[in-house]
Amino acid sequence: MTFGQRASWSALLIKPHELHKSINLLHDRYVISIVSRRLRVFRLMIRSVPVGSTNMWRKDQMGDKDQLDKAVTDFIWNIVEIHSQLEEIHRGWADMLGISEPQWLILMAIDQIDEGRGVSGISVANKLRIHAPFVTNQTKNLEEKGFLSRVTSPDDARFLQISLTEKARAEIANLSNKRQALNMTMFAGLDEASLDYLNKRLASIAKNSRLASQKLSIGVL
């Protein structure tokens, strides 16, 4: 083979890096072709959709929002109703002990959070979401009635440790059967798993509600 023949044959050969470039170019053109075809199909589909269908989609979105708003509103009014009924129930228990409804709630809060060493007035106030001075005033009254014991905290003499007296525990124990019967009536149809699920959801809503209240108070919402 002459030099001229070798030169003409080499001109027909594709170098490796040029081959790679050509393959990439063909791939890009192939992808662009597929995308273009799909875009044309998509445009045809859009054109074939009646105008009323898009309006229906928007209406569906608005309908979903309306349904959510209604569900939230129903939930809030259910909470208002439950709160109203619980106030009546708490008032009934309080009357049986000869104390006020807030005093009954203070006894229940102490019974709930006391781990055997007594609790501070601030802890009770935080549990009930009320002012600490009000708790101080009411616990003094309950102490006079023999329902509470208030002693100086061994950890800090500036604070008092509050606990239920034997009288209070006995009075509350006497109501246990009625309270259990009432709970069975209130939560009829709900098993333990359902109540656990409900409590978790309510705890989450309570947390979010506190955040929403804070945002509203500082003008963020």
Side-chain angles (χ1 to χ4, degrees), residues 8 16 37 41 74 81 83 101 111 119 127 171:
S8 61
R37 287 199 299 272
V41 172
D74 289 345
E81 171 67 15
H83 179 265
E101 179 197 352
D111 188 42
V119 297
K127 179 69 174 177
E171 293 281 3

Side-chain angles (χ1 to χ4, degrees), residues 31-80:
V31 171
I32 291 172
S33 175
I34 291 176
V35 172
S36 298
R37 287 199 299 272
R38 290 183 178 179
L39 283 174
R40 286 195 295 271
V41 172
F42 181 73
R43 290 192 186 100
L44 289 174
M45 290 173 62
I46 292 296
R47 290 171 184 171
S48 65
V49 175
V51 176
S53 297
T54 56
N55 292 335
M56 185 180 298
W57 178 73
R58 290 172 183 167
K59 288 179 180 178
D60 287 341
Q61 277 193 321
M62 293 178 63
D64 291 342
K65 183 179 179 300
D66 291 341
Q67 289 178 356
L68 177 60
D69 289 343
K70 183 180 184 304
V72 171
T73 301
D74 289 345
F75 172 82
I76 291 173
W77 281 113
N78 282 330
I79 293 295
V80 170

Side-chain angles (χ1 to χ4, degrees), residues 202-213:
L202 288 175
S204 176
I205 294 172
K207 179 181 177 181
N208 294 338
S209 297
R210 288 192 291 270
L211 177 61
S213 178

